[in-house]
Amino acid sequence: MNIKHIAIIGAGAVGSGITQVCAASGYRVTMIDIYPQALEKGLATIQKSLGKLAEKGRITAGQQSAALEAIATSGDLAAAARADLVIEAATENPDLKLRVFRELDALTRPEIILASNTSSISLTKIGAATKRPDKVVGMHFFNPVPLMTLVEVVRGLGTSAETVAATVELSQKLGKTPIEVNDSPGFISNRILCPMINEAIYALMEGVGTREAIDGVMKLGMNHPMGPLTLADMVGLDVVLFVMEVLHRDLGEDKYRPCPLLARMVDAGYLGRKSGRGFYQYS
Ligand code: CAA
């Protein structure tokens, strides 16, 4: 498959990270978001991240400016019509994702792959919303995208072997390490990560230790680069809650019950870094 131009839907932390990585790997990229402020913020994040990588000598000044020049932005989903592959990284909302995929299916050439960065929504269901389920696949990136090497390549029930092979190849061209996973609630990553974070929140709610103690134990005792509460703030508490709700509902086991403190914090708008307050405060 000859991929030159990639459209990314969503300019949030992950969408802008994917845009950056694709542009830095030599692809032409159109980053699409209906909110102009999100596009501005996404571009600023990319500039800052490329600047840091150049400062550290991980990319040259030439690569930095070439990556920036390869990025176009648009507020209109129709801008994806000219792309050779689409990666959707919109808000983790099933109705929204299904609508976006229906529209992408109508807008784009029928032979191109439509990938989703969903962290927990069924790829089989997303594929079934289109007329090309064989070309719908999960490309699950990790935050911060420019630094994290994994891409979970998720195979829905209808995804073809050719689509999986092309997605694995693309992930490698982006400098990532793809790992293939079958479609199941939370895939592998969030089936394991989110229950750990949820348990840390239970420990906090029950007064087993302070936030610093819980994060400190996991950092110093298990060599995790960040404690689970700091990580929850980075991922977004709304995302963690959504994943726990999917695991609880779709796997039907009490062990996945979302912690009430997590649900209360999301109700209060304490979503972590992106809202300025989660388990910690951010300026
Ligand atoms: N671009 C470029 N550079 C970046 C960057 C970015 N986006 N983010 C951080 N850096 C730089 C920092 O500026 C820092 O540079 P200096 O050394 O010059 O200060 C360097 O990377 C290291 O960062 P820090 O010193 O702040 O912290 P660190 O050594 O702990 O590394 C980290 C940061 C890579 C994020 C590390 O803490 C880590 O791996 N944390 C865990 C991340 C993780 O688990 N991510 C997955 C979340 S789950 C998910 O995303 C999917 C889902 O569906 C929920």
Side-chain angles (χ1 to χ4, degrees), residues 41-62:
K41 198 171 165 198
L43 275 181
T45 306
I46 292 170
Q47 274 163 350
K48 197 169 151 204
S49 174
L50 287 171
K52 267 189 203 167
L53 296 174
E55 227 172 73
K56 288 187 184 162
R58 287 180 57 182
I59 55 171
T60 63

Side-chain angles (χ1 to χ4, degrees), residues 151-231:
V151 175
E152 250 182 333
V153 174
V154 187
R155 181 198 299 259
L157 208 56
T159 312
S160 70
E162 293 74 32
T163 297
V164 171
T167 309
V168 162
E169 191 187 324
L170 172 65
S171 306
Q172 285 162 341
K173 286 189 177 155
L174 298 179
K176 303 295 182 195
T177 304
I179 296 185
E180 290 178 41
V181 180
N182 288 320
D183 191 19
S184 175
F187 318 130
I188 291 178
S189 56
N190 282 329
R191 171 90 176 248
I192 297 172
L193 176 69
C194 288
M196 184 199 68
I197 291 175
N198 196 49
E199 201 58 35
I201 305 171
Y202 269 114
L204 182 70
M205 188 180 79
E206 292 168 12
V208 182
T210 61
R211 59 188 185 179
E212 289 81 7
I214 292 165
D215 276 349
V217 164
M218 298 305 286
K219 273 180 75 173
L220 303 176
M222 286 73 182
N223 257 1
H224 287 196
M226 294 174 150
L229 301 174
T230 306
L231 184 54

